[in-house]
Structure formats: C-alpha cells, structure tokens
Amino acid sequence: MLSAALVSCEKTKTDPSPSPSPSPKTDPEESEDYRVNKCLRDDIMSVYYYWAEEVYEANKKLDLNKYSIFDAFDAMLYKDDRWSFMESGESYLAVATGAISGTWGLSLAQRSDCREVGDYNVYVKYIFPESPLAAKGVTRGARLTGIKGLDMPDHGFNTTEQIEYFNEHLYDSPQIFNFTLTNGEKVAFELEMPESVNTNYILSSQIFDGDDFDGLAEPVGYFNYLSFKLGFISDLDAAFAEFKKAGVKKMIVDLRYNGGGDGDASQRLISYLAPAGLQGKPYRTRKHNNLLSSQNASNYIGKLDGGEYTDISIGLDEIFFIMDNSSASASELVFNGLRPYMRDNLHFVGKQTYGKPNGMYVLFYPGDEKAAAKYDKGDYSGLKWVFYPICFFNVNSAGEFIPYGPKTPSGFLPDNERPDDILHDFGVDEDRVKACLNYIVTGSYPDLPETKSLDSVSGGVRGIKVESLAPEWQTNPHYGTDEVVVYGSHSTF
C-alpha cells in the first residue's frame, strides 16, 4: 500500500524524533552516495520508518562512506522487515507513466506439476493488450513452441543447453516467435521489439450471462486488475460504468497477480465494490510509529480525492475474490476492508495470499521545496531516488490485521483452494473463474481438475530460471514477484 510524500534532506536528526534543525554543511569531497545515505538515515529511517526507534542506535553507528545507496538501504532495515524497498527515479517514472521498455509485454510461466505430467512447455501467463504479440492473436494460455534458433519439442525444454539458449536470446530483436494458440492454431511471426509497451492494468473486464455459462440467471461482472496505479483510475471508472449499466450485482474480482500499489486507486476500487449506503464508513486505519502517532488516521469508503463523500457503489450483494501467493498489500487491504461489511457474501477462491499488513510512503530524493515545486508541475527531471520504507500498519473497521506471521500464517486462506489454470485465457473456461460461476449457480464449488495442479511455477523453486518477459515493475521486489523457473526434463541441479 503506497502513499505519496516528500522528504527534505536539509535537516538532521540527533535523536529519533522530527527536528527542524538544519544539517551541517557537507564536505565537498563527500560522495553523492554518502549524501543520499545520510538523508536516508537521518530524515527517513529515523522519522518515517515504522521501526525507527528499533533501528536508530544501530544505524547511527553505520559508516555511510562504505555503502552504496542500495546496500545502505538494506543495512538500515529492521530484522523482520521483508517489505521495504527503493528504486531509481528513472525506474519509478517508467512505472508511473505506464510505458515499460525492454519487454515484449507479456509474462511466461510453466505448470508447477511439469515434472509429474512431463509437460515442460512454456505458456503465456498474461499479456498486455498493447503487446505486439497480442496483435498476432497471442493470449493467456498460448504455448510458446520456439524462438529464432530454437525449436521446443511437444513436451517443452529437453536439455539445459536449450534453456540457456532461451535465456540468452529471448530478447533478441528482431525475434521469430512460434506459438500454438489456445484454439490449436499454430502461428509464426517475426517482430521488432518496440521502444516501449503501454500498459493497461486492467487485464480483462467482462460481463457473463446465461449464454456464457449455463444456469446464470443474472449478469456477473469479471474484473482482472494487475496493479493499483493512480494514473489509470479513468480505466477503473470506465469498467465499473459498464458493470453498473448492465445491472451487475455479483462480481468476480481477480487480483491473483496484483502486488498492490497506490492508495487512492485502492480506495476507489473499494468504494465501487462496497454495498450501497456505506459511504463514510471506515475500511482501514493506519497506525504509525510512536513519533508519528499523531498521523494515525482512518480511510473511508466513498471519500475520493480528499473531497466530500460520494456514493459510487454499484450496489453489489456478493463478491468473489480470486487471489494467490503474489496478491499483496492493497489487494489484501481491499479484501480485508470489506470483511466486516460483507462476511457471508464475501468469498475467496485461489491460494493463500502473501500477507502484507502494512504500507509505505513514497519518499522522493531530492525532496526539498525547490524539487517539490517542480514535481507539483509534473517536472520529474531532477528525481534521483525513490524510497518505500514501511511507515504504518493497517487494520480494518473491526480491528482485524491482514495475517502476516511469523506466529500465524501469512496471508488470507481461501474458501476454496484452486491452482492457477494457465492453460486457459481469463474467462468462463479458466478453472478459478469457472469455480466462482459454478458457486453462483449451484451454491457449491466444483471438484478440482483431474491434473494434480495447473499452477504456474513461481519464484523460490529450485530450477533454472527463465526471465519473465514482463519485468517486475508492478511490485516491490520483496513481494508479489513473478519469476519464472524452468525445469529441464533432463537437467541436473
């Protein structure tokens, strides 16, 4: 969960509490890394950081000249912090504008049961509508059967050498792709990699009825949201305008790959999803460290853009969330925020979520008044670094945290556990979506598919890694990752 803020590094701290005293002048021989590290320690980690008091003494002893900026950030974190991260200003702006470079605009994965079923093929996990491959008919579930110089047999990778070639040449441009589409059609084409791919964080927005799924007596909305981004709220508005027009009262909200994002975007989504008449009701309260306890505050359904309460609810009476291990932060917050108000009419299909109960402030460097004035005008030319330290923990209106361990399992547990069906595009044929629709029609979930698992392989599994074609721009590198690990059927590790 992210909230924007600025930090000025024109002051220093002699104790872990905010102070207006100016910093001493820096030695002209001090490196830029040192100056940033000092700002990070004295003006961010000693003030905004949720564990500021716990790390203060240790951070004060750090020799800032010995650390690069990224290493310094890691060295200053509290021992149990697995969420905070930072990035360059360039990286931040690439995400904020929605244009990503160095990519074909899709993500690849294998089935997690590839060893058991002997299927080492690589499938499209998701694809952006603006990807050049989408224009060629490639969708989620399409099987990649080859790239230039490499033919992949029917069961996928056969040797370690094939995997190494794939890793090395995947981003070659021009590239020749061979796919078997979900309808069985085999296609081949040559493409130049675009300078950038424009993203739409709504991967799919559909309305199902009885013609799509037998037995449906009313329209059901389906909404697949990849990441909460402030710049794409208009897309959110357009999707829910269609749901409202169709009279949708039951919704499937697919956040299986959503690692979180902007607070205003999540507030808008929960305001659409909440039952009618709840505007003005709290859905979360932020709790800060002792130094910033005065900043503890609640967020309310329908309070958009800091203005008056607005009822934008489309009047849903039942919601099905599809989530997974990489569903984190704002995704979990929306689910948790609705729990006190919808209990028996709120369902969860998929796998246990990540477990991120806290949030960050987005802290810009430089963040002095002069820089802030430029940012306010949309000029980010001087932005060098962006820090995302954990600054608060969230509870819903009933005082419930998102489960996060270590004493309890991290994340929410599903009502119906089902693997990620990467063999089908998002829609009525995809197993998790089908399960939700079956529950709406019959009041029960169907049996699992006969295969042991349709899950895509995720990070942390021992194997040979194939880089995802869509880089991890949408999530904190410490959670919600989307790495692809490939098993060579004849490889040794």
Side-chain angles (χ1 to χ4, degrees):
M1 191 68 182
L2 305 179
S3 297
L6 291 170
V7 58
S8 172
C9 293
E10 295 182 349
K11 56 183 183 295
T12 188
K13 306 290 174 294
T14 56
D15 57 64
S17 58
S19 168
S21 59
S23 294
K25 293 183 178 179
T26 57
D27 188 318
E29 294 182 2
E30 289 176 349
S31 68
E32 174 66 12
D33 277 10
Y34 175 86
R35 289 191 288 272
V36 178
N37 291 346
K38 192 172 187 302
C39 170
L40 174 63
R41 182 188 66 188
D42 297 345
D43 295 276
I44 295 177
M45 306 306 283
S46 294
V47 179
Y48 294 95
Y49 193 43
Y50 185 79
W51 295 280
E53 293 172 288
E54 285 84 349
V55 302
Y56 179 74
E57 290 298 331
N59 288 350
K60 191 167 63 172
K61 298 174 184 177
L62 293 177
D63 185 347
L64 301 181
N65 281 309
K66 292 183 177 180
Y67 291 90
S68 67
I69 296 169
F70 283 95
D71 288 342
F73 184 86
D74 289 341
M76 294 180 195
L77 298 179
Y78 181 61
K79 61 182 178 64
D80 292 335
D81 183 0
R82 59 188 175 100
W83 304 282
S84 298
F85 72 107
M86 64 167 290
E87 65 181 334
S88 68
E90 182 181 11
S91 173
Y92 171 84
L93 292 175
V95 175
T97 60
I100 52 176
S101 59
T103 179
W104 295 107
L106 77 167
S107 179
L108 297 177
Q110 284 180 305
R111 293 167 56 161
S112 62
D113 64 344
C114 52
R115 286 190 176 118
E116 290 87 343
V117 299
D119 180 1
Y120 294 89
N121 285 296
V122 174
Y123 298 90
V124 176
K125 189 175 182 180
Y126 62 81
I127 184 169
F128 291 114
E130 295 293 325
S131 165
L133 285 82
K136 300 293 185 179
V138 176
T139 65
R140 170 183 163 91
R143 177 164 64 91
L144 181 62
T145 58
I147 60 173
K148 182 172 61 178
L150 174 65
D151 291 325
M152 298 158 63
D154 288 342
H155 62 276
F157 288 112
N158 198 45
T159 66
T160 300
E161 288 73 24
Q162 289 175 333
I163 298 170
E164 290 174 347
Y165 181 93
F166 186 84
N167 284 333
E168 183 178 353
H169 295 284
L170 184 60
Y171 295 95
D172 288 353
S173 182
Q175 180 64 272
I176 297 175
F177 289 101
N178 293 270
F179 281 95
T180 298
L181 304 182
T182 53
N183 62 4
E185 180 184 357
K186 298 181 186 298
V187 297
F189 46 84
E190 182 175 358
L191 289 175
E192 295 272 357
M193 182 177 285
E195 291 186 6
S196 64
V197 175
N198 291 322
T199 61
N200 184 336
Y201 296 94
I202 300 174
L203 291 180
S204 180
S205 177
Q206 303 178 57
I207 299 172
F208 307 130
D209 58 26
D211 292 333
D212 303 304
F213 193 86
D214 190 37
L216 277 183
E218 60 180 310
V220 175
Y222 171 76
F223 180 71
N224 190 311
Y225 199 28
L226 183 62
S227 188
F228 292 87
K229 297 299 176 186
L230 180 60
F232 295 84
I233 281 182
S234 60
D235 295 328
L236 196 63
D237 293 340
F240 276 85
E242 291 299 314
F243 295 140
K244 185 174 184 178
K245 181 179 178 182
V248 167
K249 297 300 178 184
K250 289 179 171 55
M251 176 74 71
I252 301 171
V253 181
D254 196 336
L255 304 177
R256 73 182 77 189
Y257 305 138
N258 193 313
D262 183 83
D264 287 343
S266 60
Q267 182 157 358
R268 202 166 194 92
L269 178 59
I270 201 171
S271 296
Y272 275 122
L273 296 176
L278 289 182
Q279 68 269 23
K281 297 290 186 181
Y283 67 88
R284 71 97 175 254
T285 296
R286 296 175 177 177
K287 295 189 174 182
H288 297 75
N289 63 32
N290 291 330
L291 305 173
L292 298 180
S293 59
S294 62
Q295 302 301 311
N296 293 348
S298 296
N299 291 98
Y300 301 91
I301 295 168
K303 190 171 180 61
L304 309 175
D305 306 319
E308 299 296 323
Y309 292 113
T310 303
D311 189 359
I312 63 171
S313 164
I314 64 172
L316 298 176
D317 54 39
E318 193 167 26
I319 303 175
F320 294 78
F321 276 79
I322 296 176
M323 295 188 287
D324 211 310
N325 307 133
S326 59
S327 303
S329 193
S331 294
E332 296 170 299
L333 183 144
V334 171
F335 180 78
N336 195 43
L338 289 170
R339 288 170 66 208
Y341 303 113
M342 299 193 71
R343 296 296 182 193
D344 294 338
N345 294 317
L346 189 68
H347 312 279
F348 170 20
V349 172
K351 286 199 168 182
Q352 184 173 346
T353 63
Y354 181 79
K356 186 174 185 295
N358 41 38
M360 299 97 155
Y361 290 133
V362 184
L363 300 170
F364 291 164
Y365 178 90
D368 53 73
E369 291 183 6
K370 182 178 180 181
K374 292 176 64 176
Y375 302 148
D376 287 343
K377 296 177 181 178
D379 180 0
Y380 293 90
S381 58
L383 180 62
K384 295 181 179 180
W385 302 103
V386 182
F387 300 101
Y388 304 83
I390 292 299
C391 296
F392 51 86
F393 272 65
N394 299 306
V395 295
N396 66 16
S397 62
E400 298 165 323
F401 282 94
I402 296 166
Y404 64 98
K407 294 182 180 180
T408 59
S410 291
F412 292 108
L413 296 173
D415 304 316
N416 183 244
E417 183 171 352
R418 310 187 77 85
D420 186 10
D421 177 10
I422 65 169
L423 304 186
H424 294 93
D425 198 4
F426 302 119
V428 295
D429 293 324
E430 196 275 331
D431 181 67
R432 287 174 172 173
V433 177
K434 185 187 299 183
C436 295
L437 294 172
N438 193 87
Y439 189 96
I440 291 171
V441 172
T442 69
S444 63
Y445 296 107
D447 294 336
L448 290 173
E450 291 184 6
T451 55
K452 292 182 181 179
S453 173
L454 297 174
D455 248 350
S456 57
V457 173
S458 60
V461 181
R462 191 178 177 202
I464 296 179
K465 176 178 153 184
V466 171
E467 296 289 346
S468 168
L469 291 180
E472 290 313 306
W473 44 265
Q474 81 272 31
T475 60
N476 176 344
H478 295 276
Y479 71 92
T481 55
D482 189 27
E483 291 180 340
V484 177
V485 178
V486 167
Y487 296 90
S489 56
H490 299 291
S491 299
T492 56
F493 307 103

Short mmCIF file of all heavy atoms in Angstrom, two decimals, residues 73-97:
data_model
loop_
_atom_site.label_atom_id
_atom_site.label_comp_id
_atom_site.label_asym_id
_atom_site.label_seq_id
_atom_site.Cartn_x
_atom_site.Cartn_y
_atom_site.Cartn_z
N PHE A 73 20.53 1.13 2.17
CA PHE A 73 19.10 0.95 2.45
C PHE A 73 18.86 -0.40 3.13
O PHE A 73 18.19 -0.48 4.16
CB PHE A 73 18.30 1.07 1.16
CG PHE A 73 16.81 0.98 1.37
CD1 PHE A 73 16.07 2.12 1.69
CD2 PHE A 73 16.14 -0.22 1.25
CE1 PHE A 73 14.71 2.04 1.90
CE2 PHE A 73 14.78 -0.31 1.45
CZ PHE A 73 14.06 0.83 1.78
N ASP A 74 19.43 -1.44 2.56
CA ASP A 74 19.25 -2.78 3.13
C ASP A 74 19.83 -2.88 4.54
O ASP A 74 19.26 -3.53 5.42
CB ASP A 74 19.90 -3.83 2.24
CG ASP A 74 19.14 -4.04 0.93
OD1 ASP A 74 17.96 -3.66 0.87
OD2 ASP A 74 19.74 -4.57 -0.02
N ALA A 75 20.98 -2.20 4.76
CA ALA A 75 21.63 -2.27 6.06
C ALA A 75 20.83 -1.58 7.16
O ALA A 75 20.97 -1.90 8.34
CB ALA A 75 23.03 -1.65 5.98
N MET A 76 19.98 -0.64 6.79
CA MET A 76 19.23 0.12 7.77
C MET A 76 17.88 -0.48 8.15
O MET A 76 17.19 0.04 9.02
CB MET A 76 19.00 1.55 7.25
CG MET A 76 20.28 2.36 7.10
SD MET A 76 19.92 4.02 6.49
CE MET A 76 21.56 4.56 6.00
N LEU A 77 17.50 -1.59 7.52
CA LEU A 77 16.18 -2.16 7.76
C LEU A 77 16.12 -2.95 9.07
O LEU A 77 17.10 -3.56 9.49
CB LEU A 77 15.78 -3.07 6.60
CG LEU A 77 15.65 -2.41 5.23
CD1 LEU A 77 15.26 -3.45 4.19
CD2 LEU A 77 14.63 -1.27 5.26
N TYR A 78 14.96 -2.96 9.65
CA TYR A 78 14.68 -3.78 10.83
C TYR A 78 14.72 -5.25 10.43
O TYR A 78 14.38 -5.63 9.31
CB TYR A 78 13.30 -3.41 11.37
CG TYR A 78 12.88 -4.15 12.61
CD1 TYR A 78 13.60 -4.07 13.78
CD2 TYR A 78 11.72 -4.93 12.60
CE1 TYR A 78 13.19 -4.74 14.93
CE2 TYR A 78 11.30 -5.61 13.74
CZ TYR A 78 12.04 -5.51 14.89
OH TYR A 78 11.64 -6.20 16.02
N LYS A 79 15.14 -6.11 11.35
CA LYS A 79 15.40 -7.51 11.03
C LYS A 79 14.18 -8.25 10.50
O LYS A 79 14.32 -9.19 9.71
CB LYS A 79 15.94 -8.24 12.27
CG LYS A 79 15.00 -8.24 13.47
CD LYS A 79 15.63 -8.95 14.67
CE LYS A 79 14.71 -8.92 15.90
NZ LYS A 79 13.47 -9.67 15.68
N ASP A 80 12.97 -7.87 10.89
CA ASP A 80 11.77 -8.56 10.45
C ASP A 80 11.10 -7.90 9.25
O ASP A 80 10.02 -8.34 8.83
CB ASP A 80 10.76 -8.65 11.60
CG ASP A 80 11.23 -9.56 12.72
OD1 ASP A 80 12.05 -10.46 12.45
OD2 ASP A 80 10.80 -9.35 13.88
N ASP A 81 11.73 -6.89 8.71
CA ASP A 81 11.14 -6.16 7.59
C ASP A 81 11.46 -6.88 6.28
O ASP A 81 12.61 -6.91 5.84
CB ASP A 81 11.68 -4.73 7.57
CG ASP A 81 11.06 -3.89 6.45
OD1 ASP A 81 10.21 -4.40 5.71
OD2 ASP A 81 11.46 -2.70 6.33
N ARG A 82 10.45 -7.45 5.65
CA ARG A 82 10.64 -8.10 4.36
C ARG A 82 9.92 -7.37 3.25
O ARG A 82 9.73 -7.91 2.16
CB ARG A 82 10.13 -9.55 4.43
CG ARG A 82 8.67 -9.70 4.80
CD ARG A 82 8.32 -11.18 5.04
NE ARG A 82 6.95 -11.38 5.51
CZ ARG A 82 5.94 -11.77 4.74
NH1 ARG A 82 6.15 -11.97 3.45
NH2 ARG A 82 4.73 -11.95 5.25
N TRP A 83 9.53 -6.11 3.50
CA TRP A 83 8.69 -5.40 2.55
C TRP A 83 9.34 -4.13 1.97
O TRP A 83 9.11 -3.81 0.80
CB TRP A 83 7.38 -5.00 3.22
CG TRP A 83 6.61 -6.15 3.80
CD1 TRP A 83 5.84 -7.05 3.12
CD2 TRP A 83 6.52 -6.52 5.19
NE1 TRP A 83 5.28 -7.96 3.99
CE2 TRP A 83 5.67 -7.66 5.26
CE3 TRP A 83 7.06 -6.01 6.36
CZ2 TRP A 83 5.35 -8.28 6.47
CZ3 TRP A 83 6.75 -6.63 7.56
CH2 TRP A 83 5.91 -7.75 7.61
N SER A 84 10.07 -3.37 2.76
CA SER A 84 10.58 -2.07 2.31
C SER A 84 11.51 -2.23 1.12
O SER A 84 12.24 -3.21 1.01
CB SER A 84 11.33 -1.37 3.44
OG SER A 84 10.48 -1.10 4.53
N PHE A 85 11.49 -1.26 0.21
CA PHE A 85 12.40 -1.29 -0.93
C PHE A 85 12.63 0.12 -1.46
O PHE A 85 12.04 1.09 -0.98
CB PHE A 85 11.86 -2.21 -2.03
CG PHE A 85 10.66 -1.68 -2.79
CD1 PHE A 85 10.78 -1.22 -4.08
CD2 PHE A 85 9.40 -1.69 -2.20
CE1 PHE A 85 9.67 -0.76 -4.78
CE2 PHE A 85 8.28 -1.24 -2.89
CZ PHE A 85 8.42 -0.77 -4.19
N MET A 86 13.49 0.23 -2.44
CA MET A 86 13.78 1.51 -3.08
C MET A 86 14.03 1.27 -4.56
O MET A 86 14.22 0.13 -5.00
CB MET A 86 15.01 2.18 -2.44
CG MET A 86 16.30 1.39 -2.61
SD MET A 86 17.80 2.32 -2.19
CE MET A 86 17.86 3.52 -3.54
N GLU A 87 14.05 2.34 -5.34
CA GLU A 87 14.35 2.24 -6.76
C GLU A 87 14.87 3.58 -7.26
O GLU A 87 14.76 4.61 -6.58
CB GLU A 87 13.12 1.81 -7.55
CG GLU A 87 11.98 2.81 -7.53
CD GLU A 87 10.76 2.33 -8.31
OE1 GLU A 87 10.93 1.51 -9.24
OE2 GLU A 87 9.64 2.78 -8.01
N SER A 88 15.40 3.57 -8.45
CA SER A 88 15.87 4.81 -9.06
C SER A 88 14.68 5.64 -9.52
O SER A 88 13.59 5.12 -9.75
CB SER A 88 16.78 4.51 -10.24
OG SER A 88 16.03 3.93 -11.31
N GLY A 89 14.92 6.94 -9.67
CA GLY A 89 13.87 7.81 -10.18
C GLY A 89 13.44 7.40 -11.58
O GLY A 89 12.25 7.47 -11.93
N GLU A 90 14.38 6.94 -12.38
CA GLU A 90 14.07 6.50 -13.74
C GLU A 90 13.12 5.32 -13.73
O GLU A 90 12.15 5.26 -14.50
CB GLU A 90 15.37 6.13 -14.46
CG GLU A 90 15.18 5.69 -15.90
CD GLU A 90 16.49 5.31 -16.56
OE1 GLU A 90 17.51 5.19 -15.85
OE2 GLU A 90 16.51 5.13 -17.79
N SER A 91 13.40 4.37 -12.84
CA SER A 91 12.53 3.20 -12.73
C SER A 91 11.13 3.60 -12.26
O SER A 91 10.13 3.11 -12.79
CB SER A 91 13.14 2.20 -11.75
OG SER A 91 12.27 1.12 -11.49
N TYR A 92 11.06 4.49 -11.30
CA TYR A 92 9.77 4.95 -10.78
C TYR A 92 8.94 5.59 -11.89
O TYR A 92 7.74 5.31 -12.02
CB TYR A 92 10.00 5.96 -9.66
CG TYR A 92 8.74 6.67 -9.19
CD1 TYR A 92 7.90 6.08 -8.26
CD2 TYR A 92 8.42 7.93 -9.68
CE1 TYR A 92 6.75 6.74 -7.83
CE2 TYR A 92 7.27 8.59 -9.27
CZ TYR A 92 6.44 7.99 -8.34
OH TYR A 92 5.30 8.64 -7.93
N LEU A 93 9.55 6.44 -12.69
CA LEU A 93 8.81 7.15 -13.73
C LEU A 93 8.34 6.21 -14.83
O LEU A 93 7.28 6.41 -15.42
CB LEU A 93 9.68 8.26 -14.31
CG LEU A 93 9.98 9.42 -13.34
CD1 LEU A 93 10.95 10.40 -13.96
CD2 LEU A 93 8.69 10.12 -12.93
N ALA A 94 9.12 5.17 -15.11
CA ALA A 94 8.69 4.19 -16.12
C ALA A 94 7.39 3.51 -15.69
O ALA A 94 6.50 3.27 -16.50
CB ALA A 94 9.79 3.15 -16.33
N VAL A 95 7.27 3.22 -14.40
CA VAL A 95 6.05 2.60 -13.89
C VAL A 95 4.91 3.60 -13.87
O VAL A 95 3.79 3.29 -14.27
CB VAL A 95 6.29 2.05 -12.47
CG1 VAL A 95 5.00 1.52 -11.90
CG2 VAL A 95 7.34 0.96 -12.50
N ALA A 96 5.19 4.82 -13.41
CA ALA A 96 4.15 5.81 -13.24
C ALA A 96 3.49 6.18 -14.57
O ALA A 96 2.30 6.46 -14.63
CB ALA A 96 4.72 7.06 -12.57
N THR A 97 4.27 6.18 -15.65
CA THR A 97 3.72 6.55 -16.95
C THR A 97 3.03 5.39 -17.63
O THR A 97 2.30 5.56 -18.59
CB THR A 97 4.83 7.07 -17.87
OG1 THR A 97 5.83 6.03 -18.04
CG2 THR A 97 5.48 8.31 -17.30
#
